[in-house]
Amino acid sequence: MDNLTFTNTILLMEGLKVAPQSSYPIFILLLLIYVFTMGCNIGLIILISTDKNLHLPMHFLFCNLPLNDILGTTVMLPRLLQDILREVSERYMTYVECVVQAYFVHIFGAASHYVLMIMAFDRYVAICNPLRYTAIMTNKMVVKLSVSAWGLSVLIVSIMLGLTIRLSRCRSKIENPYCDNASLFKLSCESVVINNVFGIIYTVIIFTFSLGSVFITYGKIATVCMTSKNKALNRKAIKTCGTHIAVYIVMFVSCATVVFLHRFPEYSESRKLASIMFHIVPPGLNPLVYGLQTKEIRQKFIKL
C-alpha cells in the first residue's frame, strides 16, 4: 500500500472553536434549539397523521418537510453537542461514521430544495387552478411527487459520495463541525478534479432548478392575485407565499454560503457558522411558518 495512504480509520473532528467558559452556555442553547425543533416537527407529523380532518393531499405533501427537518437536525446536532463538551484533541469519529453522517447531511440538503419545489407546485395548482386542484393533486400524485423528491436526493448523493469513498486517504482531520462530501475528499492526496466538477455541476443544476421553479411558481401566483377581484383571498395568498419565500431565501442563502466558502479556507469559521445555521434555522422556522400559516393546523394547535 502507498505510504501516503492513511490506514487508520479514526478521524479527528475540528468542530467549533469554543472558549471553555462558553462551552456550557452554547451547549444549553443548542440543546434547547434541538428540543424545540424536534418537538415542533414531530408534533406536526403526529397531528396530521392522527387527525382525519387533515388527511388531505396538501397536508400529506407538507409532511415531507418536518420529516426532512428531523433528519437534518438529528444527523448533526447531537454529535455537535457531544463535541462541544470535549477537548479538541478528543473529538474522534470513525471513517464509516463520518461517511454515514455525510450521506444524510447531503440527503437533507438536497431534499430541502426538492420538497420546497413540490410544495410550491401544490400552492400553484391550488391558487392558479382551484377548480382542477382535486383532480390534479390526488393521493397518487402526492406519492409520485414525494417519491421523486426523495428518490432524486438519494440517487445524486449516492453518486457523489461514491466518487469520494473510492479515494485513498492521507489525512485524518475533518476541518468542519460535521462530516460532508467536501470534508471527506479533502482527506485524500489524489486528484479530486472529478469530485469538484461533479459537485459544481450538481450544485449549479439544483440551485438553478430550485430558484427557477420556486420564483416562477410564486411569480405566477402573484400575477393571479393581482388580477383577481377577491381581495380577501389575495391577501391570504400573498401572506402565505411571502412567508414561504422568506424561509426559502434563508435556506438557500445558508446552503449557498456553505458551498461557496468551502472553496476559501481563510473563511473557515464563517463557513462553520453558516453550515450550522443551515441545520438549525430552517428546521426551526419551517413548523412555525408552514404549519401555523395553515389555518386548519393553526386551529388544531389552538384547541390543544
Side-chain angles (χ1 to χ4, degrees):
M1 183 177 291
D2 194 300
N3 290 330
L4 290 176
T5 301
F6 184 73
T7 57
N8 198 333
T9 60
I10 303 298
L11 304 176
L12 178 65
M13 303 292 296
E14 185 178 65
L16 289 174
K17 293 180 180 178
V18 181
Q21 63 270 23
S22 303
S23 58
Y24 283 102
I26 292 175
F27 175 87
I28 293 171
L29 175 63
L30 291 178
L31 179 61
L32 291 174
I33 291 173
Y34 180 63
V35 171
F36 171 79
T37 301
M38 293 296 288
C40 289
N41 284 292
I42 293 173
L44 275 174
I45 293 173
I46 293 173
L47 180 64
I48 293 172
S49 61
T50 56
D51 193 321
K52 292 183 179 180
N53 294 324
L54 297 177
H55 289 181
L56 300 171
M58 177 182 72
H59 298 130
F60 284 136
L61 203 61
F62 169 73
C63 278
N64 287 292
L65 195 61
L67 280 172
N68 191 48
D69 288 340
I70 290 169
L71 171 66
T73 308
T74 302
V75 77
M76 189 274 291
L77 263 183
R79 176 74 198 197
L80 182 65
L81 289 170
Q82 292 179 37
D83 287 343
I84 287 174
L85 299 181
R86 291 173 176 166
E87 296 291 334
V88 176
S89 59
E90 297 177 357
R91 296 172 180 174
Y92 292 112
M93 177 184 282
T94 67
Y95 181 74
V96 173
E97 289 174 334
C98 193
V99 170
V100 171
Q101 186 184 51
Y103 183 81
F104 287 107
V105 160
H106 286 285
I107 290 288
F108 165 71
S112 295
H113 289 273
Y114 293 132
V115 168
L116 290 180
M117 287 164 66
I118 62 177
M119 288 179 65
F121 173 74
D122 172 77
R123 292 297 82 206
Y124 169 76
V125 176
I127 295 172
C128 299
N129 295 286
L131 298 179
R132 297 186 59 204
Y133 181 78
T134 54
I136 295 173
M137 295 304 298
T138 61
N139 289 335
K140 187 176 181 180
M141 176 60 77
V142 170
V143 171
K144 285 182 178 179
L145 290 172
S146 301
V147 170
S148 297
W150 290 101
L152 278 172
S153 302
V154 169
L155 176 63
I156 297 299
V157 172
S158 297
I159 295 172
M160 182 171 63
L161 279 176
L163 291 172
T164 297
I165 62 176
R166 68 185 173 84
L167 300 169
S168 60
R169 306 185 303 280
C170 62
R171 302 182 184 93
S172 60
K173 186 176 181 181
I174 297 292
E175 298 178 347
N176 211 36
Y178 55 84
C179 295
D180 60 6
N181 184 57
S183 300
L184 281 170
F185 69 63
K186 286 177 182 179
L187 298 176
S188 177
C189 292
E190 296 182 36
S191 172
V192 293
V193 173
I194 295 176
N195 302 72
N196 275 315
V197 169
F198 181 87
I200 291 171
I201 292 175
Y202 169 64
T203 301
V204 169
I205 290 174
I206 191 173
F207 280 10
T208 302
F209 273 96
S210 177
L211 268 176
S213 63
V214 168
F215 279 96
I216 288 173
T217 299
Y218 286 125
K220 289 185 177 181
I221 291 173
T223 302
V224 169
C225 291
M226 287 187 290
T227 57
S228 174
K229 296 180 181 179
N230 190 332
K231 293 183 179 180
L233 180 63
N234 291 348
R235 283 196 299 270
K236 179 181 177 182
I238 291 173
K239 181 181 178 182
T240 301
C241 294
T243 51
H244 287 192
I245 290 174
V247 172
Y248 175 81
I249 290 173
V250 171
M251 183 276 294
F252 184 90
V253 170
S254 56
C255 180
T257 302
V258 174
V259 174
F260 180 74
L261 292 182
H262 253 301
R263 273 72 187 172
F264 300 93
E266 62 269 25
Y267 298 111
S268 62
E269 293 305 312
S270 299
R271 170 176 52 79
K272 290 178 185 178
L273 178 61
S275 63
I276 293 172
M277 293 290 285
F278 177 57
H279 285 262
I280 290 177
V281 177
L285 285 178
N286 287 340
L288 301 178
V289 174
Y290 287 94
L292 299 183
Q293 278 289 336
T294 305
K295 182 180 178 180
E296 297 84 358
I297 295 177
R298 185 173 64 249
Q299 290 176 340
K300 296 296 179 182
F301 266 110
I302 292 173
K303 291 178 180 179
L304 292 177

